Amino acid sequence: MPIIKITNLSTPGVDVFATLTEAQLRNKLEPSKGIFIAESPKVIKVALDAGYEPVSLLCEERHIEGDAQEIIARCGDISIYTGNRTLLAELTGYTLTRGVLCAMRRPKLPTVAELCSQARRMVVIYGVVDTTNIGAIFRSAAALGIDAVLLSRDSCDPLNRRAVRVSMGSVFLVPWTWLDIPLPSLHAYGFKTASMALTDQSISIDHPLLKQEERLAIVMGTEGDGLPSEVITSTDYVVRIPMSHQVDSLNVAAAAAVAFWELR
């Protein structure tokens, strides 16, 4: 595999790590050609273990025989770009976590029907745009027994670089796709829906009815305003997490972890 020493910011082939925006990386016009960036050796290894295809690698010189050695050995005949820490930070606009980035091919996403056929507990992420929250929700989903993740189109892309890093690679472990159908359509796949919201009609998250549901989709809303009223009224249940000390709610990532554990 070629190891290419970067001497300036215009080295051919490094634009994927530097000048391309997240939207350009996704390549909406031709999704099959889209890529994403995985950051840090641990996260890259999780992606490789999950079958994701590497395209090129960027790492500090000192990591070629160090943290990146195993990754390089597994990546086959791809280009390895390298340089000193200062130059790479100037190139990417940030200091590399553990000194390694990998550009990887985006996979073909499953359909909603395919995900539902294999799941008993799902989370629907509705309008959550913060990359840290998306990553944290995926990490909790992987750890706490959620079988699949559906996202509204106005949510953050799970393969955003920061979301991937915060998830510690959990975005590669839980199957996910975009939800392009109304929530009530999940009934056709045997799912009841439960929106996490504070309303007069909400039931406690430990209510026996929720545990008895064979298939349940937990709907989580935005960081600030929560779920829109039309979404709440379209679900089968409205669920609250009991609070103390006049605290009205939890951050969406924290609330998701509580919900996943209780409703697993």
Side-chain angles (χ1 to χ4, degrees):
M1 66 188 69
I3 296 180
I4 303 166
K5 178 72 176 291
I6 299 172
T7 56
N8 58 69
L9 304 185
S10 60
T11 300
V14 300
D15 56 334
V16 66
F17 299 106
T19 60
L20 297 185
T21 65
E22 287 285 348
Q24 289 170 325
L25 289 173
R26 286 197 300 272
N27 200 340
K28 289 185 176 181
L29 294 178
E30 296 183 81
S32 63
K33 295 183 179 180
I35 60 176
F36 68 95
I37 304 299
E39 182 180 4
S40 88
K42 182 175 181 178
V43 169
I44 296 168
K45 289 175 186 176
V46 174
L48 293 173
D49 289 343
Y52 282 73
E53 178 189 352
V55 175
S56 58
L57 199 71
L58 179 74
C59 66
E60 295 177 30
E61 292 172 289
R62 63 193 180 97
H63 288 307
I64 291 179
E65 301 296 330
D67 285 351
Q69 187 173 24
E70 179 186 341
I71 295 169
I72 291 172
R74 294 180 59 182
C75 281
D77 190 25
I78 66 172
S79 296
I80 312 296
Y81 299 98
T82 187
N84 63 58
R85 185 178 182 85
T86 301
L87 181 61
L88 297 192
E90 186 178 354
L91 172 72
T92 61
Y94 52 88
T95 301
L96 277 61
T97 301
R98 299 291 298 276
V100 187
L101 296 178
C102 187
M104 309 194 89
R105 190 77 61 196
R106 282 179 172 266
K108 180 182 178 181
L109 293 178
T111 65
V112 171
E114 289 169 340
L115 286 192
C116 289
S117 69
Q118 303 295 322
R120 292 186 62 251
R121 289 292 183 267
M122 298 194 304
V123 60
V124 178
I125 300 175
Y126 199 97
V128 177
V129 298
D130 183 84
T131 55
T132 299
N133 283 334
I134 289 290
I137 291 171
F138 265 87
R139 190 171 184 181
S140 293
L144 301 175
I146 296 299
D147 303 312
V149 179
L150 302 177
L151 301 100
S152 64
R153 287 284 182 175
D154 57 349
S155 294
C156 170
D157 175 18
L159 295 182
N160 172 283
R161 178 184 62 84
R162 181 168 174 78
V164 170
R165 180 163 65 85
V166 171
S167 81
M168 292 301 293
S170 295
V171 295
F172 310 129
L173 304 179
V174 184
W176 65 273
T177 196
W178 300 108
L179 181 66
D180 292 322
I181 58 175
L183 272 176
S185 299
L186 295 179
H187 290 160
Y189 304 109
F191 275 86
K192 292 292 185 67
T193 54
S195 56
M196 302 297 298
L198 298 173
T199 72
D200 293 338
Q201 291 75 41
S202 62
I203 61 175
S204 177
I205 196 169
D206 58 359
H207 196 290
L209 279 175
L210 299 171
K211 299 288 184 63
Q212 293 169 10
E213 292 294 350
E214 182 66 22
R215 289 183 162 184
L216 188 66
I218 306 161
V219 188
M220 310 296 303
T222 62
E223 296 84 349
D225 299 328
L227 292 167
S229 59
E230 62 270 20
V231 171
I232 295 173
T233 57
S234 74
T235 57
D236 299 293
Y237 299 102
V238 184
V239 181
R240 69 180 184 277
I241 299 172
M243 297 283 147
S244 300
H245 299 289
Q246 286 82 51
V247 175
D248 59 353
S249 65
L250 296 173
N251 165 274
V252 63
V258 173
F260 298 164
W261 170 253
E262 182 64 31
L263 301 175
R264 69 196 185 284

